[in-house]
Amino acid sequence: MSEQTERLLEEHIARDLPMLRKEDRRDIIQLIAGHQPALNADRLADSMIASGVEVGVLLAVLLRYEWMVVQGIMKSTAAGGVAGQLPAFSRCVERFGTLQTAVLNAVERNWKKRLDKEVAARVVAECHAEWVREGVVRIHNYFQEMPVTANAGFHGYAGEYLTIMASPEVGRVFTCTDDMQEALITSPDQAFKIRVGVIRCRKGLLTLAVRDVAPAMQETREHFRVRMTEEIEVKLRRQSGMVVGRLIDISVSGMKVAMAAPCDLARDERLRCNWLLAGSACEADMTVCWRKERGDMLQFGLKFTRLGAVHEQVHKLMLIQQQRLIDRLKHLGAPSWMEMA
């Protein structure tokens, strides 16, 4: 992009988009010119949307600027003919396309954020109505995968702060977590969980702050899972060959497996799996249910389609693990902050 086109673009942006920060206007020019802006395209788009500019206006002026830059390219490369202009045209379209896509993605993220706030407010309001009606707040946590619950007397809710009656049973729910400071409350429809954190415990009352609201993934699980404490290799045989993963957890309905990327296992793909469980060789038919990326690792949810003789081994492991957790739970006391209150 020529210096003349750059100056012209700077004048138009200052006139058309005065609500943008000076830094953002400069970054737009840098990005269009093919230089490295201070913010990448996604962060720049987020900043532009946060300025309050209407997305329709923003996209319209970007299209106009694109034609302005194209005209500048045509003038500066006229001597070279079409062959000399095509590479410059291609780079121009690519840069504007990157910025326009980033703006649309920023709008979607912004919309989703507002929607999430509305959903969170609705979930808390529904829970509040239930607390008032029943006079009880049901809090829970997980001791590894074992659910730990308690009913606490409802005392009040205001300004995102929930007050409940303190008791040893309530304390045990907090004790089973690493920081002993947070607990969960499931919405009446079981679809969401409210995460609450301890603010203070005084005179038999426990004040909790609402931290966030999220989908209740763990609460919708059908079966108890055992998380592996040792490295267990799982061999996944498929039509195109075999891949090897690491067993993360297992239940009577399936397992979670991790492996290094890349791996092209697809949802609904059928596999034959081999692994060792408590020293015994296991083999079962499985189907891929889901796939998630975790940095440079991939995780897959596998569902048993036919367990056969393995069912007894898995079921026995579940029972043994559950009993161990129950025995440990019996010895959990109240957290130190409740004992000192």
Side-chain angles (χ1 to χ4, degrees):
M1 188 167 65
S2 67
E3 292 184 6
Q4 182 180 357
T5 302
E6 190 169 327
R7 286 196 299 271
L8 185 61
L9 190 58
E10 188 174 350
E11 292 172 7
H12 278 263
I13 293 177
R15 183 194 65 200
D16 299 334
L17 302 171
M19 69 289 291
L20 296 187
R21 301 186 313 155
K22 290 182 180 179
E23 296 84 355
D24 291 343
R25 297 202 293 267
R26 184 183 63 246
D27 278 352
I28 291 174
I29 295 172
Q30 291 291 309
L31 187 62
I32 292 172
H35 305 314
Q36 183 64 42
L39 298 178
N40 62 32
D42 288 333
R43 292 178 60 193
L44 174 57
D46 283 331
S47 182
M48 289 191 290
I49 295 300
S51 71
V53 60
E54 293 184 11
V55 64
V57 172
L58 185 54
L59 292 174
V61 296
L62 287 177
L63 285 172
R64 193 163 72 249
Y65 299 159
E66 185 173 3
W67 174 238
M68 185 188 306
V69 175
V70 166
Q71 286 180 310
I73 292 172
M74 292 172 65
K75 291 178 181 178
S76 62
T77 59
V82 176
Q85 294 172 349
L86 283 177
F89 286 159
S90 178
R91 290 191 295 270
C92 172
V93 170
E94 182 180 355
R95 291 165 190 159
F96 273 98
T98 297
L99 187 52
Q100 290 161 352
T101 300
V103 168
L104 292 174
N105 290 338
V107 171
E108 184 177 355
R109 286 194 297 272
N110 197 46
W111 173 83
K112 187 177 183 300
K113 187 182 295 184
R114 292 199 304 271
L115 182 62
D116 288 346
K117 288 183 179 180
E118 293 175 6
V119 171
R122 174 184 60 79
V123 170
V124 174
E126 290 175 351
C127 285
H128 184 204
E130 184 179 71
W131 302 333
V132 172
R133 183 174 62 254
E134 299 187 2
V136 171
V137 178
R138 296 177 179 84
I139 64 172
H140 69 279
N141 255 320
Y142 293 92
F143 188 59
Q144 296 183 25
E145 286 286 324
M146 176 71 71
V148 184
T149 64
N151 289 337
F154 173 66
H155 187 268
Y157 176 75
E160 299 184 0
Y161 292 97
L162 169 65
T163 307
I164 61 176
M165 307 295 185
S167 70
E169 291 73 22
V170 169
R172 189 176 293 112
V173 172
F174 289 93
T175 304
C176 70
T177 62
D178 291 336
D179 62 2
M180 300 187 185
Q181 295 289 318
E182 292 188 340
L184 303 172
I185 300 171
T186 304
S187 62
D189 61 3
Q190 306 293 309
F192 294 91
K193 64 181 179 184
I194 301 174
R195 185 169 60 92
V196 293
V198 175
I199 298 298
R200 63 177 176 271
C201 183
R202 186 181 302 163
K203 297 180 179 180
L205 294 178
L206 184 58
T207 301
L208 309 172
V210 174
R211 302 293 192 202
D212 60 43
V213 178
M217 302 298 293
Q218 201 162 18
E219 287 76 3
T220 58
R221 291 177 181 173
E222 186 178 355
H223 300 290
F224 172 70
R225 301 183 183 189
V226 172
R227 189 169 184 86
M228 298 297 104
T229 57
E230 57 182 311
E231 289 280 334
I232 297 179
E233 182 181 85
V234 181
K235 296 179 180 178
L236 311 173
R237 287 184 292 173
R238 52 199 305 217
Q239 289 184 346
S240 59
M242 183 179 71
V243 292
V244 178
R246 176 175 59 84
L247 182 61
I248 298 177
D249 61 44
I250 189 169
S251 74
V252 294
S253 61
M255 63 172 67
K256 184 194 298 183
V257 175
M259 61 186 66
C263 179
D264 61 350
L265 282 179
R267 184 170 180 172
D268 296 328
E269 183 174 349
R270 294 182 177 276
L271 308 166
R272 185 70 174 171
C273 301
N274 298 82
W275 72 99
L276 287 176
L277 190 63
S280 300
C282 300
E283 186 174 45
D285 293 325
M286 311 198 77
T287 302
V288 180
C289 294
W290 52 262
R291 166 191 174 120
K292 293 180 181 177
E293 294 186 15
R294 292 286 187 271
D296 58 350
M297 297 295 292
L298 296 173
Q299 291 186 359
F300 296 91
L302 308 179
K303 181 180 180 180
F304 292 121
T305 53
R306 191 179 65 198
L307 260 176
V310 177
H311 180 273
E312 185 176 343
Q313 292 172 274
V314 176
H315 188 64
K316 182 179 179 181
L317 177 68
M318 299 295 113
L319 292 177
I320 292 174
Q321 184 68 8
Q322 282 181 310
Q323 189 56 55
R324 286 175 178 171
L325 291 175
I326 290 172
D327 290 341
R328 291 172 63 187
L329 277 171
K330 290 178 180 178
H331 296 89
L332 287 180
S336 56
W337 50 259
M338 183 175 285
E339 293 171 353
M340 295 184 296

